[in-house]
Amino acid sequence: MQDFNYHAPKSMDEALAALRGAEGAKLIAGGHSLLPVMKLNLAMPTDLVSLAGVPGLAEIADDGDSVTVGAMCTHAQVAASGVVQGRIPALAAMAEGIGDAQVRNAGTIGGSVAHNDPAADYPAACVALAATIVTDRREIAADDFFQGLFATALAEDEVITAVRFPAPDRAAYAKFANPASKYAVAGVMVAAGADGVRVAVTGASGDGVFRVAEMEAVLAGSFSAEAVAGIAVSSDGMLSDGAAGAEYRAHLVAVMAKRAVEACG
Amino acid sequence: MPTVTMTVNGTQRTGTVEGRTLLAEFLREHLGLTGTHVGCDTSQCGACVVHVDGSSVKSCTCLAVQADGAEITTIEGLANGADLHPMQEAFRDHHGLQCGFCTPGMVMSAIDLANRSPDPSEHEVREWLEGNLCRCTGYHNIVKAVQAGARAMGGGS
Amino acid sequence: MSGNGTGIGASVKRKEDARFLTGRGRYTDDINLPGQLYGYILRSGMAHAKIGTVHTEAAKAAPGVHAVFTGKDMEGVGGIPTGWLIHSKDGSPMVEPPHPALATDKVRYVGDCVAIVVAETKEQARAAAHLIDVEREELPAVASIEAAEAEGAPLVFDEAPGNVCYDWEVGDRAATDAAFADAAHVVSIDVVNNRLIPNAIEPRAAIANYDPATGDYTLYTTSQNPHLVRLLLGAFVLGLPEHKLRIVAPDVGGGFGSKIPHYAEEAILTWTAGKLGRPVKWTCERIDAFKSDTHGRDHISTAKLALDADGKFLGLHVSTRANLGAYLSTFATCVPTYLYGILFAGPYTTPAVYCEVKSFFTNTVPVDALRGAGRPEATYLLERLVDKAAVELGMDRVEIRRKNFIREFPYQTPVALQYDQGDYDATLDLALKAADWDGFEGRRAEAAARGKRRGIGISTFIEACGIAPSAVVGSLGARAGLYESGSVRVHPTGSVSVFTGTHSHGQGHETTFAQIVSDMLGVDFDAVDVVHGDSAKIPFGMGTYGSRSLAVGGTAIYLAVEKVIEKGKKIAAHLLEASAEDIEFKDGSFTVAGTDRSKSLGEVALTAYVPHNYPAGLEPGLEETAFYDPLNFTFPAGTHIAEVEVDPETGEVELVAVTGADDVGRIINPMIVDGQLHGGLAHGIGQALLEECRYQEDGQLETGSYLEYTMPRAADLPSFNINHNTTLCTHNPLGAKGVGEVGSIGVPPAVINAVIDALRPLGVNDISMPATSQRVWQAIQQAQG
Ligand SMILES: Cc1cc2nc3c(=O)[nH]c(=O)nc-3n(C[C@H](O)[C@H](O)[C@H](O)COP(=O)(O)OP(=O)(O)OC[C@H]3O[C@@H](n4cnc5c(N)ncnc54)[C@H](O)[C@@H]3O)c2cc1C
Ligand code: FES
Ligand code: FES
């Protein structure tokens, strides 16, 4: 790993200043996506700016018809949160299924969303639940936020402060994990609420999270597992690797979608 | 170079590190606490698990500077003199270790579970240990040890 | 032998645990020597390339760098040797190309060592290594057996036409052909034995030191057999006499075969320390371990079984092609031959057996022993074939096995081995009962109601362990003897140090061997310490592999204790004014037979060291060494049963139950024995369901980290149902057979047979290891058309 300057700002202003202060500066939250890639020299930031000391980023708030999760909330915190469990149990369950216990103790929602790993779980939750990504300067709808492989709408010096999730009427997440890495091979979040029925898929496509319009349309008419079971997903554009070829992935998307609908009860 | 100060196993320790120095390296190489092991470079094996402010963390995926000011507990800090921690005792009683290399991380991870769930089921233990690889034991006795250790802890470390 | 307390047969808590549980283990990477430098090995990123000049100037000028060495610098140093000479069918010796520690003219696999950079810190060494510019001309690679044997395939070595190392055979071909001519049924099968990456959780590491004052070299290394490393490194590579080379294998975090071979890095480091006159430390990163620790298995086989009308086996014909990787590692050549072909009688009376094995060089990591080494490959093939025969003949899977069991011992197989003892019916019955085999159909129906396909599978097997009788293996091409040494030193006050040439890296020798000695000598368990892993402390040893430590190493200790007792009797006789023949030794006391006159071991020991009143002509001291060369292999045997549930929608296989009934010979410490079984089972299950090393066609390793290579985790496995039925080995005094590899040998076919049993109603008749969800799903798709 290449060495870097480390900054531990105590306020958002300091963080932004540090981030702008060096060409190759990067934020670090839990470090559970960033440090592994730095170890492989796939990222070589000159400066790391930690958000750990910036106040107010690790809170979970119940806003009535939505839940706001601070960017620095760990997966473990989200999974164990009474508010999340009460308002959006599917989100708590999804967080409980990320990585392993130690990853959940360190990794954050902000880091996960900003990293936009094509096999990460949060992007599916954000898109299906029609979440809003709140940054230091604006609010971005999840649909607009995720822009393909490791790409997001964030500016270089933009900091996610929170993610706001509207509480759905019902929602569930079904994940088929890669047996080695435990990241999603096919993860499907299905949600029905004020924004209608939304089906978002992670893990399967090289372009990252995507919605399945056909399933959404069918489910809007009849919210049942049988309704969605008949819909074949095309393997075009699906990732293909040793654990799962494109065809198998496409099949798993259909199966996980069905199971997620079933789990919605 | 940054200076870090943390409380390690109850004692305040200070050291000068590089930004990139991992907590695992700080413990092993700066403080000589070689009980914490490193078994991989992709954050998966769990041999390096320690407690940071009471919860289990992979010390290979945490910068020493990130742990500045924190309370760290490593495998060396569990026993009280000659008296093993109940989780250590349970691993010994149930033969939950063979070569011993995964053991420090297993024990630290297990204590975190026990702190959250004082009487975990076999299923709960097996799921919890996802981040801890062991090549020797087949996990059979580790699972038994963790269950027994958690019960012996009586809901707290 | 007492059987309780801390003696033989008791589940004594392990001595080694106190240090491991408190973080006081001392593994190689925990060792730091004053003034040490750090080595980083630059490895080839190409599978096959000619190398020209290696430009090291920039690296040498980098901060903190002390030296950079390449293959050119090490020219004149010997190559890494291999330990076993195999002859082909036509009598010609195998092709044995040189294996330079650092590549000279060519690199032959991704991971091949190209240069070492030595610097003040690890980071400096690594950073400088990336400044090295290697002139390379990439060559086409052969990364699989199929590619290696293809017409006109690129050659890994010019001296090995067709990439063949040897074309070997065992058994009577004519008799086997005749058996097929007479057969009522012939059943055939094609199987692949998937390549595995061993993945001991402790990565390899080494630290070498040279003392210019004495000319002594010391190498701390993660090895299962320090003396073997000393022999190979000293005699063959660096040309150092044994007394100038000390090898220490301290606490080692698992081996599973991958820490048997003498590795190039050990030679490079030791040589470099000599050049620089400073200690040099190297710790393998996991990412490098994937491409440099020897891999295991990797066979393609086709076999056929001849049966009579009643299902009795008449003959077995096996043709195997094995991948040896890019160079011949220490035991590479014997694993697919003498640890494989001679296993094909299994527990069955098949009168004619023939096995031929063609081994290939490929541009992949060298292949060597991995937990079971050869025997899992043989057992997998045989037990898959027997199951297939049952199905094709419409016979019960259990009955076909029972019909063919060997029941009379000793039994001479048609492929060299002579089994001394066993009771295969007993382990079969025990396993069937413990697994509730008869109640399975009910469970199948219950699972079906939940939409799951449930299957049950069985494997009945033997293994040859306790390697090995030196004369036998010598005649088969081994370049070393495979005996073991043991020394027992009774100290003046009666405590005991035991020195063994085996090495414990998880097996608990410090406990098991102390139990034996404390039991035999009547000494408190805590007063016995076992020393291993240091060539300066132990007379000689062949190390730990092939489930040999107790049967061979334990026996050496047993014999040394007997010698101690013999000598003690002479001393006691003198003190008691009796004749040595009249002295009996029991529970730590030497007693004149039929009297109450006795001397304790402590008194005798003290006399031995303070010989004021001592038998004339007897040497003082109470320390004995024994070398034990086994008379035969040992033959553990057993039955493993696996039960699975398949989700037909996703192809996921859940392993719901594993039952073992094993005969591992005398059990010294049941707790430790069961732990060994658990570990082996997990390894075998890993092979059957999860683990697979995959190379791309160009020789790039596709499964090069834990992100792609699936290790068994706790949630992948059930708790194991272990049962024992013991028959004693007849030719060692402990009656011990061996247990370390049982699980990985017996269970893979049971698991795959279970998966096939589950899927057969869907029309699936074959599935390859590992039965991953994708593979199972594809098989179902295919069968359903
Ligand atoms: C072994 C292992 C298994 C895992 N398994 C899973 C899994 O199953 N599913 C899954 O979804 N994930 C998984 N992860 C990833 C894990 O969830 C990460 O923690 C998460 O993706 C990133 O969060 P972090 O806080 O660690 O971010 P960091 O690693 O600190 O940062 C990641 C990126 O986000 C940027 N960033 C961080 N915070 C912000 C912010 N507030 N605003 C803007 N940019 C920011 C950083 O600059 C960096 O580029 C796994 C990780 C590991 C090591
Ligand atoms: S060393 Fe493997 S997870 Fe930390
Ligand atoms: S005890 Fe050896 S890896 Fe777990």
Side-chain angles (χ1 to χ4, degrees):
Chain A
M1 196 190 302
Q2 215 164 69
D3 204 16
F4 47 80
N5 302 306
Y6 184 78
H7 307 267
K10 293 277 174 269
S11 70
M12 184 57 79
D13 287 345
E14 277 178 42
L16 289 168
L19 203 51
R20 288 169 191 151
E23 182 76 20
K26 244 184 168 334
L27 292 169
I28 181 165
H32 271 52
S33 286
L34 187 55
L35 293 174
V37 296
M38 286 174 64
K39 284 190 196 179
L40 300 172
N41 282 337
L42 297 175
M44 293 185 253
T46 58
D47 290 69
L48 279 190
V49 181
S50 170
L51 289 174
V54 176
L57 295 180
E59 279 136 38
I60 296 174
D62 186 344
D63 318 322
D65 50 8
S66 65
V67 173
T68 301
V69 180
M72 288 298 284
C73 290
T74 62
H75 311 327
Q77 210 180 329
V78 173
S81 156
V83 171
V84 180
Q85 285 175 355
R87 306 297 305 264
I88 322 178
L91 186 62
M94 184 231 74
E96 184 64 32
I98 295 178
D100 55 55
Q102 289 70 38
V103 170
R104 293 192 291 275
N105 281 343
T108 66
I109 183 170
S112 178
V113 169
H115 194 58
N116 193 18
D117 188 305
D121 298 303
Y122 263 120
C126 291
V127 170
L129 293 167
T132 301
I133 317 300
V134 183
T135 77
D136 64 302
R137 65 200 65 166
R138 57 180 170 150
E139 300 198 346
I140 309 167
D143 280 336
D144 303 325
F145 181 85
F146 299 103
Q147 302 189 341
L149 196 66
F150 298 109
T152 67
L154 287 176
E156 288 279 330
D157 64 345
E158 195 167 3
V159 180
I160 299 172
T161 56
V163 182
R164 196 170 61 237
F165 295 94
D169 299 335
R170 48 191 170 176
Y173 183 60
K175 172 180 181 177
F176 193 90
N178 178 302
S181 73
K182 298 289 177 182
Y183 275 88
V185 160
V188 181
M189 177 78 101
V190 173
D195 292 281
V197 178
R198 295 166 68 101
V199 178
V201 179
T202 189
S205 162
D207 289 334
V209 61
F210 65 94
R211 287 171 63 182
V212 190
E214 208 184 339
M215 286 184 182
E216 292 180 354
V218 167
L219 287 171
S222 153
F223 196 88
S224 71
E226 296 78 59
V228 83
I231 300 174
V233 178
S234 162
S235 60
D236 290 348
M238 290 284 163
L239 285 168
S240 184
D241 60 25
E247 223 181 299
Y248 181 51
R249 265 197 163 81
H251 167 74
L252 287 176
V253 169
V255 176
M256 291 302 118
K258 187 185 88 178
R259 290 186 182 178
V261 173
E262 273 166 3
C264 282
Chain B
M1 290 216 288
T3 301
V4 293
T5 301
M6 50 190 105
T7 306
V8 181
N9 300 330
T11 308
Q12 188 166 316
R13 308 293 296 263
T14 298
T16 305
V17 297
E18 292 183 309
R20 65 181 164 184
T21 305
L22 300 171
L23 178 58
E25 291 170 339
F26 181 68
L27 294 169
R28 288 182 56 79
E29 288 160 30
H30 293 239
L31 303 185
L33 293 170
T34 54
T36 298
H37 296 154
V38 174
C40 75
D41 29 32
T42 50
S43 314
Q44 263 135 344
C45 75
C48 62
V49 171
V50 301
H51 288 190
V52 177
D53 293 330
S55 67
S56 59
V57 163
K58 291 173 176 172
S59 65
C60 72
T61 314
C62 175
L63 300 169
V65 287
Q66 284 180 295
D68 191 20
E71 293 249 0
I72 311 291
T73 308
T74 70
I75 190 77
E76 289 95 338
L78 292 180
N80 184 1
D83 295 335
L84 294 180
H85 183 282
M87 190 60 77
Q88 292 172 311
E89 196 74 57
F91 267 68
R92 180 172 151 88
D93 283 348
H94 293 270
H95 189 31
L97 66 155
Q98 291 183 23
C99 77
F101 199 79
C102 71
T103 310
M106 283 285 177
V107 170
M108 299 312 291
S109 179
I111 292 172
D112 193 7
L113 170 63
N115 286 337
R116 295 163 201 247
S117 177
D119 190 10
S121 66
E122 174 178 345
H123 177 77
E124 217 178 328
V125 174
R126 289 186 182 274
E127 291 294 333
W128 179 268
L129 293 178
E130 177 176 314
N132 293 88
L133 298 178
C134 175
R135 196 47 136 173
C136 296
T137 63
Y139 304 99
H140 181 107
N141 285 337
I142 289 180
V143 173
K144 290 201 161 30
V146 174
Q147 288 187 288
R151 283 194 291 269
M153 280 167 61
S157 47
Chain C
M1 297 187 185
S2 57
N4 53 32
T6 58
I8 290 172
S11 285
V12 185
K13 305 290 174 249
R14 299 199 318 168
K15 280 176 182 278
E16 37 277 86
D17 289 356
R19 69 177 187 276
F20 292 155
L21 279 166
T22 54
R24 294 197 191 90
R26 193 165 181 254
Y27 300 86
T28 302
D29 188 54
D30 300 342
I31 297 170
N32 293 297
L33 300 178
Q36 81 191 6
L37 300 169
Y38 292 85
Y40 180 86
I41 306 275
L42 178 70
R43 296 176 188 280
S44 173
M46 284 180 184
H48 198 191
K50 266 195 197 139
I51 54 179
T53 309
V54 181
H55 300 281
T56 59
E57 303 75 15
K60 281 179 176 150
V65 171
H66 282 244
V68 180
F69 296 115
T70 68
K72 233 184 166 43
D73 300 303
M74 279 190 84
E75 258 169 17
V77 175
I80 307 298
T82 189
W84 207 298
L85 174 67
I86 301 295
H87 286 88
S88 287
K89 291 171 182 168
D90 64 6
S92 62
M94 68 186 188
V95 180
E96 196 175 355
H99 178 186
L102 285 171
T104 48
D105 56 329
K106 250 187 171 192
V107 284
R108 291 188 170 83
Y109 66 97
V110 172
D112 208 351
C113 303
V114 174
I116 180 169
V117 180
V118 186
E120 295 283 338
T121 71
K122 252 187 292 195
E123 294 290 353
Q124 286 172 336
R126 185 189 301 118
H130 295 298
L131 301 175
I132 295 175
D133 177 23
V134 185
E135 284 181 14
R136 309 176 286 188
E137 179 194 329
E138 188 160 11
L139 300 169
V142 288
S144 63
I145 293 168
E146 290 96 333
E149 68 184 350
E151 186 77 30
L155 295 185
V156 180
F157 294 98
D158 294 339
E159 55 267 53
N163 291 310
V164 175
C165 176
Y166 54 75
D167 183 6
W168 171 91
E169 65 181 351
V170 69
D172 186 337
R173 179 164 205 153
T176 306
D177 288 346
F180 277 89
D182 293 343
H185 304 281
V186 174
V187 178
S188 53
I189 196 167
D190 296 314
V191 299
V192 172
N193 205 282
N194 43 325
R195 186 179 181 110
L196 303 179
I197 303 180
N199 275 306
I201 305 299
E202 180 203 25
R204 286 188 295 124
I207 173 163
N209 193 18
Y210 173 68
D211 182 349
T214 58
D216 290 349
Y217 288 82
T218 303
L219 175 70
Y220 296 86
T221 181
T222 48
S223 176
Q224 301 176 219
N225 32 229
H227 287 86
L228 197 68
V229 172
R230 186 181 65 174
L231 182 70
L232 297 176
L233 174 59
F236 294 92
V237 187
L238 298 182
L240 294 169
E242 275 95 335
H243 68 292
K244 289 292 172 201
L245 180 58
R246 174 182 170 206
I247 310 286
V248 185
D251 287 328
V252 172
F256 316 106
S258 69
K259 292 171 182 168
I260 297 171
H262 166 43
Y263 281 94
E265 292 90 344
E266 292 168 330
I268 298 166
L269 240 64
T270 309
W271 180 84
T272 301
K275 283 272 166 233
L276 300 180
R278 281 179 70 171
V280 183
K281 179 171 178 172
W282 162 80
T283 304
C284 194
E285 292 169 25
R286 177 62 59 185
I287 225 106
D288 281 347
F290 270 92
K291 52 187 188 238
S292 67
D293 291 1
T294 51
H295 292 178
R297 319 275 194 260
D298 204 345
H299 287 190
I300 301 175
S301 299
T302 174
K304 52 185 181 168
L305 182 66
L307 301 98
D308 72 9
D310 295 333
K312 198 104 176 108
F313 304 161
L314 302 175
L316 174 69
H317 186 294
V318 179
S319 292
T320 290
R321 291 165 293 154
N323 190 342
L324 298 178
Y327 298 100
L328 298 180
S329 181
T330 306
F331 280 124
T333 55
C334 77
V335 172
T337 52
Y338 291 107
L339 293 180
Y340 173 71
I342 61 175
L343 268 293
F344 274 114
Y348 309 119
T349 55
T350 320
V353 176
Y354 174 78
C355 171
E356 56 184 356
V357 180
K358 205 180 216 183
S359 286
F360 294 90
F361 294 106
T362 60
N363 295 110
T364 63
V365 173
V367 178
D368 205 313
L370 171 63
R371 201 168 197 161
R375 292 149 293 165
E377 295 91 313
T379 303
Y380 179 67
L381 188 152
L382 190 57
E383 288 304 294
R384 286 284 316 276
L385 184 54
V386 168
D387 246 39
K388 194 156 184 251
V391 171
E392 291 187 13
L393 271 64
M395 284 180 72
D396 180 80
R397 290 180 284 166
V398 173
E399 282 324 302
I400 197 170
R401 289 175 162 88
R402 233 190 254 288
K403 194 179 231 0
N404 288 284
F405 271 167
I406 295 164
R407 293 196 175 80
E408 277 165 31
F409 297 90
Y411 177 81
Q412 177 63 51
T413 75
V415 272
L417 296 174
Q418 192 190 64
Y419 304 164
D420 63 328
Q421 186 65 278
D423 186 346
Y424 308 144
D425 290 293
T427 40
L428 175 60
D429 290 339
L430 188 57
L432 291 173
K433 187 149 174 285
D436 186 22
W437 179 273
D438 292 337
F440 175 72
E441 289 307 327
R443 298 194 290 282
R444 196 198 295 268
E446 184 275 328
R450 288 183 281 111
K452 295 287 175 73
R453 298 282 176 173
R454 193 158 170 132
I456 194 165
I458 191 168
S459 144
T460 52
F461 59 92
I462 61 100
E463 44 174 326
C465 291
I467 54 177
S470 295
V472 175
V473 295
S475 72
L476 301 179
R479 287 168 168 158
L482 289 173
Y483 51 84
E484 197 44 79
S485 83
S487 296
V488 175
R489 179 182 301 162
V490 184
H491 297 285
T493 55
S495 65
V496 182
S497 296
V498 179
F499 302 85
T500 175
T502 65
H503 186 276
S504 184
H505 32 278
Q507 297 87 343
H509 296 171
E510 290 168 41
T511 302
T512 301
F513 292 168
Q515 280 179 263
I516 296 172
V517 173
S518 110
D519 195 323
M520 288 177 74
L521 286 180
V523 176
D524 193 29
F525 175 72
D526 292 328
V528 182
D529 265 358
V530 175
V531 181
H532 62 91
D534 186 343
S535 71
K537 294 182 182 163
I538 290 114
F540 199 69
M542 297 310 297
T544 287
Y545 41 81
S547 305
R548 68 191 300 275
S549 290
L550 180 62
V552 190
T555 299
I557 292 168
Y558 180 99
L559 297 176
V561 173
E562 282 196 327
K563 287 189 187 176
V564 164
I565 293 170
E566 276 320 297
K567 181 164 181 183
K569 282 183 179 170
K570 290 183 190 152
I571 299 167
H574 178 83
L575 295 175
L576 296 164
E577 297 175 342
S579 134
E581 288 81 62
D582 294 337
I583 304 290
E584 286 171 351
F585 181 71
K586 198 164 172 271
D587 298 335
S589 291
F590 295 91
T591 308
V592 183
T595 76
D596 60 359
R597 292 193 302 127
S598 74
K599 290 283 174 195
S600 71
L601 178 69
E603 289 171 290
V604 167
L606 189 61
T607 306
Y609 288 96
V610 186
H612 296 166
N613 175 16
Y614 204 65
L618 193 66
E619 289 174 19
L622 195 53
E623 169 171 352
E624 296 290 345
T625 295
F627 282 73
Y628 174 66
D629 201 337
L631 300 169
N632 191 356
F633 293 87
T634 63
F635 300 97
T639 297
H640 289 172
I641 293 174
E643 218 165 304
V644 300
E645 278 189 14
V646 181
D647 178 339
E649 223 172 13
T650 60
E652 260 177 306
V653 178
E654 189 195 349
L655 184 63
V656 287
V658 174
T659 304
D662 290 290
D663 177 359
V664 300
R666 166 103 58 215
I667 293 173
I668 309 292
N669 183 320
M671 176 190 83
I672 288 177
V673 161
D674 285 354
Q676 290 294 306
L677 284 164
H678 300 154
L681 286 169
H683 220 139
I685 292 162
Q687 167 158 38
L689 294 178
L690 306 168
E691 299 184 41
E692 178 177 44
C693 169
R694 289 188 303 270
Y695 274 96
Q696 294 169 5
E697 259 176 50
D698 62 359
Q700 292 296 326
L701 180 60
E702 197 177 302
T703 51
S705 83
Y706 290 139
L707 292 165
E708 301 89 17
Y709 188 87
T710 310
M711 290 282 283
R713 289 180 170 91
D716 297 320
L717 303 168
S719 281
F720 303 122
N721 179 353
I722 303 276
N723 306 271
H724 297 281
N725 179 71
T726 301
T727 66
L728 298 180
C729 172
T730 59
H731 55 79
N732 68 49
L734 288 168
K737 295 184 181 176
V739 67
E741 299 164 299
V742 171
S744 57
I745 291 171
V747 88
V751 173
I752 295 297
N753 286 340
V755 174
I756 295 174
D757 183 53
L759 297 180
R760 196 169 282 116
L762 296 175
V764 175
N765 295 310
D766 184 28
I767 194 99
S768 296
M769 296 194 292
T772 60
S773 48
Q774 171 165 255
R775 193 167 268 158
V776 169
W777 178 75
Q778 283 167 340
I780 296 172
Q781 295 306 106
Q782 230 161 19
Q784 307 277 292

